[in-house]
Amino acid sequence: MPTLYVVATPIGNLQDMSPRAVETLKTVQLIAAEDTRVTMKLCQVFDIHTKLTSCHQHNEDTKGEWLAEKMLAEQIDVAITTDAGTPCVSDPGYGLVKAAVERGIEVVPVPGCCAAVSALSVSGFDTREFAFYGFLPREKKDLKAKLLDLLKGPAVAVVHESPYRIIELMETIAATLPGVRVSASCDLTKLHEKTIRGTADEVLQQMRDNPKTEKGEYCIVLDLHEVTVEVLEKPAADVSIEARLFEQLLDGLSLRDAQSELVLQGEKKNAVKAAALRVKKIFEEWEA
């Protein structure tokens, strides 16, 4: 029976490549790589000459099925790698592993680097329980909702972010989760590796003061132990914005204030504005 090896690779420092990982990549018959160009460079460093094939997030469902069938038909061992870190952990790999498991192919981990675990280990927080969320939503409303959702899980949360959106993320964290403590690690294992810690506001200010903030990938650890946020209940999905505006008007608010209240509750500004125009038109028709 063939074996699929899930091989972790360095996230920056090549010295973190384990002897077992090197040996595995040398002895398998095929390496399924997220990006063959990236893995080719790694193979050149460690004198690995195994054939490569691509298996990334855009093709891993169909390619995973094909590779699993190939493993059975040809009785070959395959290793899966990503550009950096551990496959399947906020990286491609799931499709091939799932296909292998469904066919009874043995799947063996070859452990190594993982940015999330590395960031947790240097955070200084109580990490006996934590949740990993990968990259959070980009749209601000969805991002805020997801951040509030973190409060329902373990008191330590780990997320990833690119250098180009880190300031915006930290601004939203500071505004949404008052009191949260943050450990922000950048360029883990690399020459200019840096971890800054403090409240969300303190970390945000340090990032703003650093002209090199927009360089390197970030792994953010959030300590939610001391965070208390009063979360407004979302209105029922079948209640229209117009109906909720009417409710606000009956409570004595002006149409302008009613609009502002719904925006604060998370409704999109343009949708509320359009609904307010419809409500205003109804009033005008009544008066006519």
Side-chain angles (χ1 to χ4, degrees):
M1 176 64 71
T3 301
L4 173 65
Y5 295 93
V6 182
V7 181
T9 56
I11 58 177
N13 192 324
L14 288 176
Q15 294 182 52
D16 291 333
M17 186 73 169
S18 73
R20 183 183 172 206
V22 172
E23 184 62 24
T24 299
L25 296 183
K26 284 184 176 181
T27 55
V28 295
Q29 285 73 55
L30 184 64
I31 299 172
E34 177 183 5
D35 187 329
T36 55
R37 295 165 298 181
V38 173
T39 303
M40 177 71 75
K41 293 177 182 178
L42 185 72
C43 289
Q44 288 172 348
V45 170
F46 293 100
D47 194 30
I48 298 167
H49 304 284
T50 306
K51 184 179 178 181
L52 301 172
T53 187
S54 65
C55 186
H56 47 73
Q57 63 176 339
H58 301 298
N59 75 351
E60 67 171 323
D61 288 338
T62 55
K63 190 65 174 283
E65 296 282 335
W66 180 83
L67 281 169
E69 288 295 333
K70 181 180 178 67
M71 291 175 70
L72 288 173
E74 301 179 16
Q75 288 297 295
I76 59 172
D77 294 335
V78 172
I80 183 167
T81 65
T82 53
D83 294 349
T86 302
C88 303
V89 182
S90 196
D91 267 332
Y94 164 76
L96 176 51
V97 172
K98 177 175 179 288
V101 169
E102 289 175 344
R103 289 162 174 78
I105 296 172
E106 185 176 10
V107 181
V108 175
V110 181
C113 294
C114 175
V117 173
S118 299
L120 281 163
S121 70
V122 298
S123 67
F125 302 149
D126 182 351
T127 59
R128 287 174 289 183
E129 289 187 0
F130 66 89
F132 174 65
Y133 296 93
F135 287 90
L136 298 181
R138 295 188 184 185
E139 206 277 323
K140 197 164 187 178
K141 176 185 173 183
D142 295 336
L143 172 58
K144 182 177 179 181
K146 185 63 177 180
L147 288 172
L148 292 174
D149 233 18
L150 303 189
L151 298 174
K152 301 174 184 176
V156 172
V158 192
V159 303
H160 285 167
E161 190 53 279
S162 80
Y164 308 108
R165 296 193 299 272
I166 188 62
I167 294 293
E168 184 178 355
L169 173 64
M170 287 306 306
E171 288 173 344
T172 308
I173 288 174
T176 308
L177 301 173
V180 68
R181 295 191 63 79
V182 176
S183 175
S185 295
C186 177
D187 272 342
L188 282 164
T189 78
K190 298 180 182 178
L191 180 62
H192 300 293
E193 173 183 333
K194 185 176 181 65
T195 296
I196 54 179
R197 306 172 184 84
T199 65
D201 287 318
E202 291 168 345
V203 170
L204 174 60
Q205 190 57 54
Q206 290 184 66
M207 289 181 174
R208 285 173 172 164
D209 293 341
N210 182 2
K212 295 184 178 180
T213 289
E214 290 190 354
K215 293 183 182 294
E217 298 295 322
Y218 284 84
C219 197
I220 308 297
V221 184
L222 305 175
D223 184 358
L224 304 165
H225 283 94
E226 304 298 325
V227 178
T228 53
V229 178
E230 183 179 345
V231 182
L232 292 172
E233 286 189 13
K234 292 186 72 175
D238 59 348
V239 179
S240 68
I241 296 177
E242 289 89 340
R244 290 162 58 203
L245 283 172
F246 274 116
E247 289 177 3
Q248 301 281 13
L249 294 173
L250 290 174
D251 286 340
L253 294 182
S254 66
L255 186 57
R256 181 184 296 274
D257 289 342
Q259 288 179 248
S260 299
E261 183 66 25
L262 293 190
V263 171
L264 286 174
Q265 292 179 14
E267 291 295 340
K268 291 184 178 179
K269 190 174 182 180
N270 288 341
V272 173
K273 185 177 180 180
L277 289 174
R278 290 192 289 271
V279 169
K280 187 176 180 181
K281 185 177 180 181
I282 291 172
F283 280 128
E284 290 172 350
E285 291 174 351
W286 283 350
E287 291 175 355

